[in-house]
Amino acid sequence: AAALAELMRTEEARALCSLAESNAANQEAIAAAGGVPLLISHLGGQRSEALQRNAASALWAVGAAPSNQRLIAQRGGIPPLAKMLVEGGDATREMAAGALHSLSALQSNRALIADAGGIQALVALFEVGTAAAKAEAAGALAKLVVGSTVNQSAVAHALVGLLSGRSIFHALFRATQQHAGIGCSTPPVSGRGA
């Protein structure tokens, strides 16, 4: 019964992603119906990788609307998305990076992403991420540095560390394992986070 319920939630998140994809009216309707906190509740914890991936993908799609970018941050969606960059599988990391790329368009979210460890985790994707995850990470990092000398310095420091051969991902992964516990399964239309 629990496995069936998890499967149903996974398919519901996938459906929300499909509805929100490139459809501003549906993005707003999903948020108005309480979809954002519901999707955030499916990130992390003991949730299946598929459910987390689909919830992150749906948040990426819903987060195309600026009002929803603010709502996702206010409801606590940024920290679990940043954590998924380290703890998720390849496809899950892609969805989380895409969602953070979308959320980074809103200036007030940039410090929240940095505070959640997002800069280091996004840079770590250059080491271990898929091509799509790397592209989303690059887009997010490019937005995170706009108007923030603190973020500029953090991104530069992380990139220099990566270029000098220090494994950022493995250090982050070990740190999360010490503190522990991740679709639309396909990436949404590319460029949405731009």
Side-chain angles (χ1 to χ4, degrees):
L4 180 59
E6 185 89 354
L7 179 61
M8 294 292 291
R9 287 189 294 270
T10 300
E11 292 307 313
E12 291 161 358
R14 185 189 318 259
L16 288 173
C17 178
S18 294
L19 286 169
E21 183 69 40
S22 301
N23 188 315
N26 284 349
Q27 293 161 7
E28 295 299 333
I30 290 166
V36 168
L38 178 66
L39 290 166
I40 292 169
S41 74
H42 295 323
L43 304 177
Q46 299 301 312
R47 306 286 192 215
S48 72
E49 177 94 12
L51 177 54
Q52 292 187 64
R53 179 177 57 250
N54 279 290
S57 184
L59 287 168
W60 181 2
V62 170
S67 61
N68 291 343
Q69 294 165 4
R70 186 173 294 104
L71 179 61
I72 292 167
Q74 289 171 342
R75 295 299 185 134
I78 290 174
L81 286 166
K83 190 173 183 181
M84 289 169 66
L85 296 174
V86 178
E87 294 183 356
D90 287 344
T92 301
R93 289 194 298 259
E94 286 178 19
M95 298 306 121
L100 289 171
H101 183 186
S102 181
L103 295 173
S104 67
L106 190 63
Q107 183 179 7
S108 60
N109 286 348
R110 295 175 190 155
L112 297 173
I113 293 168
D115 290 345
I119 289 175
Q120 289 251 341
L122 287 162
V123 169
L125 290 180
F126 293 129
E127 185 179 3
V128 298
T130 63
K134 290 174 184 176
E136 294 303 330
L141 290 167
K143 289 179 181 177
L144 288 171
V145 300
V146 174
S148 173
T149 56
V150 171
N151 285 356
Q152 291 166 10
S153 177
V155 169
H157 181 74
L159 288 171
V160 168
L162 183 63
L163 290 172
S164 67
R166 292 192 302 265
S167 174
I168 295 171
F169 177 78
H170 296 323
L172 288 172
F173 181 77
R174 281 191 301 274
T176 60
Q177 293 305 305
Q178 291 172 355
H179 293 90
I182 303 199
C184 283
S185 290
T186 58
V189 174
S190 93
R192 178 179 34 203

